[in-house]
Amino acid sequence: KQEVTQIPAALSVPEGENLVLNCSFTDSAIYNLQWFRQDPGKGLTSLLLIQSSQREQTSGRLNASLDKSSGRSTLYIAASQPGDSATYLCAVAEVGSNYKLTFGKGTLLTVNP
Amino acid sequence: NAGVTQTPKFQVLKTGQSMTLQCAQDMNHNSMYWYRQDPGMGLRLIYYSASEGTTDKGEVPNGYNVSRLNKREFSLRLESAAPSQTSVYFCASRTDYYEQYFGPGTRLTVT
């Protein structure tokens, strides 16, 4: 059974710092990996989708990498801002699962002004 | 484009009552999903529909039924609510490029 782990569970940084969030998964047979952001009491917002054949994706200050063979992904946030404070979730779609997502439990990020 | 919409936003039920959570998407996606989110458990898949007219069980289907009414709408029904079904419920739909988009959620409390 696919398991997705996110470390750390919580992270607090000062504004302006560059930071990395980690995601690992146990079965490397995946279609893709998706990073989401969730604000308190809200739904999930898709940030980046990396297909299994890709190594990284970038959107603005966000860069996500994927190393499928080692079962790891990182989300890099450059020049963090207080508005980046949220929970970040990663999820994988396992081959043969009809693209159902298995989620990690998230990293709660706090960016202090 | 409203994306994925869910109704109601909040609901309180007594044990044994029934209700239907509604979900609709206006992006012409074939696949739709229902998840629940619980503290410490993360998001777990309840049911999904790969296309209109088909539904399949996810990780935690017990106590729930679903209906894929048409391509736009996918509803989740609790026939006899239990306190263990207190949760936040999210509906999602998937693009042809396999990216999932989520609705705002329904916060359900069963007393």
Side-chain angles (χ1 to χ4, degrees):
Chain A
K1 181 187 170 186
Q2 179 75 267
E3 291 183 5
V4 180
T5 303
Q6 291 187 245
I7 295 172
L11 181 64
S12 181
V13 300
E15 183 177 2
E17 192 161 297
N18 302 325
L19 59 100
V20 174
L21 306 180
N22 296 293
C23 172
S24 62
F25 46 95
T26 54
D27 190 335
S28 62
I30 63 169
Y31 290 120
N32 57 55
L33 183 145
Q34 197 166 350
W35 281 94
F36 296 90
R37 169 189 173 133
Q38 186 175 28
D39 294 291
K42 304 292 186 184
L44 280 68
T45 301
S46 178
L47 296 173
L48 290 164
L49 172 72
I50 312 177
Q51 305 291 358
S52 62
S53 58
Q54 298 175 316
R55 297 285 289 182
E56 65 178 332
Q57 282 284 354
T58 298
S59 176
R61 293 183 295 108
L62 305 180
N63 176 279
S65 68
L66 174 64
D67 184 341
K68 198 174 68 162
S69 60
S70 69
R72 295 179 187 276
S73 176
T74 61
L75 179 66
Y76 175 81
I77 302 177
S80 58
Q81 303 171 357
D84 294 330
S85 298
T87 296
Y88 290 81
L89 297 156
C90 74
V92 298
E94 192 174 350
V95 170
S97 71
N98 209 352
Y99 302 98
K100 294 177 289 185
L101 291 179
T102 301
F103 282 84
K105 294 180 181 176
T107 293
L108 175 60
L109 174 65
T110 304
V111 181
N112 301 299
Chain B
N1 235 1
V4 180
T5 58
Q6 294 183 237
T7 56
K9 286 187 168 55
F10 300 93
Q11 184 72 48
V12 178
L13 290 178
K14 294 188 188 313
T15 297
Q17 288 185 319
S18 62
M19 77 161 296
T20 299
L21 282 64
Q22 306 285 355
C23 173
Q25 51 93 9
D26 61 1
M27 298 174 282
N28 202 36
H29 293 164
N30 286 311
S31 297
M32 298 183 72
Y33 305 80
W34 276 106
Y35 296 87
R36 60 178 287 174
Q37 185 176 36
D38 303 290
M41 299 295 293
L43 278 112
R44 293 177 293 170
L45 182 67
I46 305 170
Y47 269 95
Y48 69 101
S49 171
S51 61
E52 186 179 352
T54 69
T55 61
D56 283 289
K57 295 178 181 178
E59 184 183 353
V60 288
N62 291 344
Y64 305 96
N65 285 301
V66 290
S67 296
R68 183 74 182 269
L69 305 168
N70 47 55
K71 193 171 186 179
R72 289 188 65 247
E73 298 172 289
F74 187 36
S75 63
L76 179 72
R77 182 161 179 84
L78 287 69
E79 291 291 352
S80 178
S84 62
Q85 295 177 304
T86 293
S87 187
V88 182
Y89 291 86
F90 290 102
C91 176
S93 66
R94 178 174 66 77
T95 72
D96 289 341
Y97 295 98
Y98 315 119
E99 186 170 11
Q100 289 198 20
Y101 289 92
F102 281 71
T106 294
R107 282 146 187 81
L108 175 67
T109 301
V110 183
T111 61

